[in-house]
Amino acid sequence: MSGRLILGCASTGAKFTPWNHRATGDDVLDRICTGASIKAATEEIIEEAVTLYQAGVRYFHYHARNPETREQTTDNEIYQAVSSRIQRECPGMLLSFGASRNGAEVRERVAQFGEWERVSQCALPLHLGGAHFVTIQAAVELQVICEIERKFGPISPDMVSSRAFADIIEQNVPSDNEESASLQTHSTSNGADYGRTSPRVQFLVYSEAVKRRRQLGLLHEIEWVQLDRSYAMARYAIEHPQIRLGDSGQLNITLLFGFSPRLPFPHTYAEFKAVVDLAKRLEYDLDDPETRTRRVTISVGAAVLPQQAEEHFLPLDIDPEGRAVCALRRMAAYAAQPDSGVDILRVGMEDTPYIVNEAGRVVEGENADLVAIARDEIRRHGVDLETNTDVVERRMRIDMLREQVAGEQRDPSQRFTHLADARVLVPQP
């Protein structure tokens, strides 16, 4: 870590929508879980993004929503409108789009147009309203790994780091067997429901998404939501010859602590650091564990439901005074440690759309409130925000990719030659 943290905001997200929550009668909880405070209209989102930018935010993660229903949408015109305005009004802001979208409107579009509809925004060029990053791996893609577990037995991080897993990658052929993509997560009533899909379809979509990002000279990003499975899926995508995730030399991994029982929220710095260190193993290939093949940057977030917030309001193990802190403050404190390995501290309404007050009670809040809390906590630990856009771009390897693509454009004979062994067969309509 450079001594400074890039502050990121996950502004909207997938879980907290009106359709995804069953009313409980608790007015505060119901407003939080239906996303009542989450911006949906483009003008509101831009206004908020400008406020966050002025507060030091340099990474903006966004899931488009239908402004009328407030549900997730696959309408790429909304993504493009938000991206174009933020690029113009917040110079140097890194943009990230969420890709594993779900919800009633998303499922209708997927049923109509196919699984690619779920991630189609990853193919938008940056200058036409795309994003530097798109989180192409989350719950739905783990169907590939769930099938591997059924075929080959339980997996563990040590097994995934071994030659045995390389053999499995070589042997495994994803099947057409449709399974429910609703995996065990901490979520709202319908927030973990991705419908039915097959491992083969997910493999093809993942492969195509990586190829499109590569062709556009844009960055790769994945989210971890189930520790062992997420690590296995990332390793699978890196090593598989038809995907080769991160072969540009860069990969950003967002660790969503508390998203599921398989990636629990840490109560000690040692627990937190063990997950970061595991993600960093992906800088090395299985066949050459001594040579750093890619730079893995790390983003961390606290994905804790409001119903679980109070159980995580505990003394901070690295604080001399033993202050009781909420999940957001704990995540900020851990990220601010000099050996944390973290590049981006991600906060926002996608992950923890509420505030925990000094008494440990959940109250409503907005993205600007969460950013202010995160800034306060990291400064308690002697760390400030990295807001210099040139430094941010170098740290996240945007400058490297820009130079790479420019070089290919200057020499057309070399353009995309590195795709020769990454062809993907996608069913044609």
Side-chain angles (χ1 to χ4, degrees):
M1 203 178 78
S2 71
R4 289 174 175 260
L5 283 171
I6 301 167
L7 186 55
C9 181
S11 64
T12 52
K15 289 189 291 192
F16 301 100
T17 75
W19 185 85
N20 277 348
H21 177 69
R22 298 190 188 100
T24 66
D26 182 321
D27 289 344
V28 172
L29 183 64
D30 288 343
R31 282 183 57 80
I32 290 170
C33 290
T34 57
S37 299
I38 294 176
K39 310 294 190 248
T42 298
E43 287 300 325
E44 291 180 330
I45 293 163
I46 301 306
E47 182 179 345
E48 181 178 63
V50 170
T51 298
L52 298 174
Y53 182 80
Q54 292 170 345
V57 170
R58 290 297 180 269
Y59 168 98
F60 188 84
H61 179 73
Y62 171 68
H63 288 244
R65 292 197 177 191
N66 181 330
E68 295 182 3
T69 64
R70 307 184 68 83
E71 295 294 333
Q72 278 208 99
T73 178
T74 65
D75 188 342
N76 282 338
E77 289 185 1
I78 295 177
Y79 279 98
Q80 290 173 290
V82 169
S83 169
S84 297
R85 289 281 301 279
I86 290 179
Q87 289 187 64
R88 188 162 62 246
E89 300 187 29
C90 304
M93 180 81 90
L94 301 186
L95 290 165
S96 169
F97 290 160
S100 276
R101 304 174 285 192
N102 68 359
E105 295 181 30
V106 172
R107 283 207 301 279
E108 288 174 5
R109 299 280 290 188
V110 169
Q112 185 176 3
F113 298 110
E115 189 66 26
W116 177 254
E117 181 72 9
R118 198 186 302 274
V119 302
S120 61
Q121 72 276 42
C122 75
L124 295 172
L126 185 61
H127 70 286
L128 296 180
H132 301 91
F133 299 96
V134 177
T135 52
I136 56 172
Q137 177 183 310
V140 67
E141 293 85 354
L142 298 183
Q143 291 293 87
V144 175
I145 297 304
C146 289
E147 182 175 63
I148 284 176
E149 290 178 324
R150 291 191 291 270
K151 289 180 179 178
F152 298 96
I155 61 171
S156 69
D158 285 343
M159 187 274 273
V160 172
S161 298
S162 71
R163 182 64 214 177
F165 192 68
D167 294 339
I168 288 174
I169 294 172
E170 186 175 338
Q171 298 168 30
N172 184 62
V173 177
S175 77
D176 288 318
N177 299 328
E178 288 195 356
E179 298 284 346
S180 170
S182 182
L183 303 177
Q184 186 182 16
T185 62
H186 295 311
S187 189
T188 49
S189 300
N190 299 307
D193 186 357
Y194 289 85
R196 292 180 66 80
T197 184
S198 73
R200 179 176 178 272
V201 166
Q202 290 307 320
F203 174 84
L204 291 172
V205 169
Y206 198 126
S207 303
E208 184 69 9
V210 171
K211 184 178 77 172
R212 298 287 186 94
R213 301 297 291 170
R214 188 186 288 121
Q215 289 173 333
L216 292 170
L218 293 173
L219 300 166
H220 300 301
E221 182 173 30
I222 58 176
E223 288 179 338
W224 282 18
V225 295
Q226 297 188 350
L227 179 62
D228 47 359
R229 288 173 173 167
S230 295
Y231 176 56
M233 188 68 234
R235 175 60 73 187
Y236 182 98
I238 284 171
E239 303 283 343
H240 200 288
Q242 284 185 258
I243 305 179
R244 298 201 182 282
L245 176 69
D247 72 347
S248 64
Q250 181 279 338
L251 175 63
N252 190 57
I253 301 179
T254 297
L255 309 174
L256 293 180
F257 291 93
F259 192 97
S260 77
R262 288 177 175 266
L263 183 51
F265 191 80
H267 288 161
T268 69
Y269 182 63
E271 294 170 350
F272 169 87
K273 188 67 166 60
V275 178
V276 175
D277 290 346
L278 182 63
K280 285 285 193 179
R281 286 194 202 178
L282 295 171
E283 294 189 326
Y284 304 87
D285 292 339
L286 292 179
D287 286 340
D288 190 0
E290 303 300 322
T291 302
R292 190 188 194 194
T293 304
R294 64 195 58 82
R295 166 85 190 283
V296 169
T297 51
I298 300 292
S299 172
V300 297
V304 173
L305 293 175
Q307 298 94 321
Q308 300 172 336
E310 291 187 20
E311 67 186 73
H312 296 296
F313 187 74
L314 298 169
L316 180 60
D317 58 312
I318 58 173
D319 189 288
E321 300 174 1
R323 288 178 299 130
V325 298
C326 63
L328 188 157
R329 284 189 177 274
R330 183 177 300 273
M331 190 58 44
Y334 288 168
Q337 299 311 299
D339 66 342
S340 73
V342 173
D343 298 279
I344 299 175
L345 170 62
R346 166 174 148 166
V347 304
M349 301 296 278
E350 173 171 352
D351 301 331
T352 52
Y354 56 85
I355 294 170
V356 178
N357 63 23
E358 292 183 358
R361 298 291 184 181
V362 170
V363 298
E364 291 183 75
E366 296 188 350
N367 281 317
D369 302 318
L370 303 178
V371 164
I373 291 169
R375 288 186 62 168
D376 175 71
E377 187 62 36
I378 68 170
R379 284 174 175 169
R380 283 175 176 263
H381 297 270
V383 173
D384 209 339
L385 302 183
E386 183 56 79
T387 58
N388 183 305
T389 55
D390 290 336
V391 175
V392 170
E393 286 196 353
R394 287 197 299 272
R395 187 162 172 179
M396 301 306 294
R397 304 303 296 274
I398 292 173
D399 59 332
M400 175 269 294
L401 287 177
R402 184 183 293 125
E403 292 171 4
Q404 183 182 70
V405 171
E408 290 171 337
Q409 291 171 343
R410 283 192 295 270
D411 184 1
S413 68
Q414 299 300 313
R415 187 162 177 75
F416 304 135
T417 55
H418 55 297
L419 296 179
D421 60 351
R423 296 188 181 92
V424 178
L425 298 176
V426 179
Q428 297 301 311

